[in-house]
Amino acid sequence: MRLILLGVPGAGKGEQATRLSGKFSIPHVSTGDLLRREMEEGTEVGRRISEFVNRGELVSDTVTQAILENRLRETDCLAGFILDGFPRNLSQADFLQAALERMSAPVDVVLNIEVPDGTVIDRLAMRNRLDDAPETIRHRLKVYRKVTAPLVDYYDRAGILKRIDGDGSPEEVTQRILTCLARKA
Ligand code: ADP
């Protein structure tokens, strides 16, 4: 199974991706995690990445796409994967579509995890990441609305979008996702 998770920063994508990854025994592929790993390694590329991440800006498509495609070509992704944080704009969505076509591995379902704005701010305030400072959070939400939100329509038109109510405990949200996926099968 190949899944994409969409949702604002703080919608709970990472948490749900980890839980689904355990249930279905497929890897959780988070571009945020992959980029943070580059940053920790302190390479030249990592330093450039951190300038964007710490300001709440998107990292360039070229860098993110290369990192993502390398990850998807690892053998554990043959069983399927859960994408968290990618795609984040329309050109990344087109890139993904083409890359997965080359691998004969189309996306099955896109889950849009929907939560009210207030919930998101509260949740992010509880994390302890450098890019979770209030000003950066506001900027990330703005970027999300402008360049990432159009992907909801994009996948809706492709007929693979499912909407999930993300307001609830992690267990409740996972249960909603599982019910939704079972309905589809
Ligand atoms: P959140 O969902 O809370 O924003 P992520 O870990 O998904 O957290 O992303 C953190 C940051 O990593 C983003 O603000 C952005 O700078 C960078 N990033 C992650 N994924 C991408 C992507 N697909 N394209 C560009 N930048 C990305």
Side-chain angles (χ1 to χ4, degrees):
M1 176 162 39
R2 288 172 293 270
L3 289 180
I4 295 178
L5 296 186
L6 286 182
V8 291
K13 299 185 296 289
E15 166 86 25
Q16 293 305 322
T18 305
R19 299 169 69 93
L20 296 171
S21 161
K23 287 230 181 285
F24 296 120
S25 301
I26 50 177
H28 167 197
V29 176
S30 153
T31 44
D33 287 349
L34 293 170
L35 292 168
R36 280 186 288 277
R37 195 163 312 150
E38 289 286 337
M39 286 160 56
E40 278 157 23
E41 281 169 11
T43 56
E44 183 55 37
V45 179
R47 269 193 296 277
R48 258 186 290 141
I49 289 173
S50 66
E51 285 171 24
F52 291 89
V53 171
N54 293 339
R55 288 203 312 261
E57 295 287 349
L58 294 189
V59 175
S60 79
D61 288 346
T62 327
V63 168
T64 320
Q65 285 167 183
I67 289 176
L68 192 260
E69 189 167 8
N70 283 338
R71 179 65 188 90
L72 292 185
R73 287 188 179 282
E74 285 176 34
T75 47
D76 61 338
C77 289
L78 283 173
F81 48 77
I82 301 163
L83 268 186
D84 158 21
F86 193 99
R88 241 180 168 92
N89 60 31
L90 287 168
S91 66
Q92 291 183 5
D94 287 337
F95 169 86
L96 181 66
Q97 164 103 12
L100 293 181
E101 243 164 55
R102 287 196 294 276
M103 300 180 206
S104 305
V107 168
D108 298 299
V109 183
V110 179
L111 299 170
N112 189 37
I113 305 186
E114 303 178 331
V115 286
D117 277 4
T119 311
V120 162
I121 310 259
D122 290 349
R123 286 187 189 168
L124 292 175
M126 280 163 38
R127 296 200 309 209
N128 213 3
R129 245 166 51 191
L130 202 58
D131 60 333
D132 282 338
E135 189 48 46
T136 321
I137 291 176
R138 268 195 295 278
H139 191 67
R140 292 201 349 257
L141 289 172
K142 214 163 95 186
V143 170
Y144 183 87
R145 287 194 196 99
K146 196 165 157 203
V147 304
T148 310
L151 294 179
V152 173
D153 265 359
Y154 176 100
Y155 287 117
D156 202 11
R157 276 197 299 271
I160 54 174
L161 184 84
K162 301 280 174 195
R163 295 170 197 273
I164 303 291
D165 176 5
D167 202 8
S169 70
E171 294 77 16
E172 283 167 340
V173 178
T174 307
Q175 201 45 56
R176 287 174 198 148
I177 293 175
L178 294 176
T179 306
C180 169
L181 293 175
R183 218 181 298 131
K184 192 207 160 236

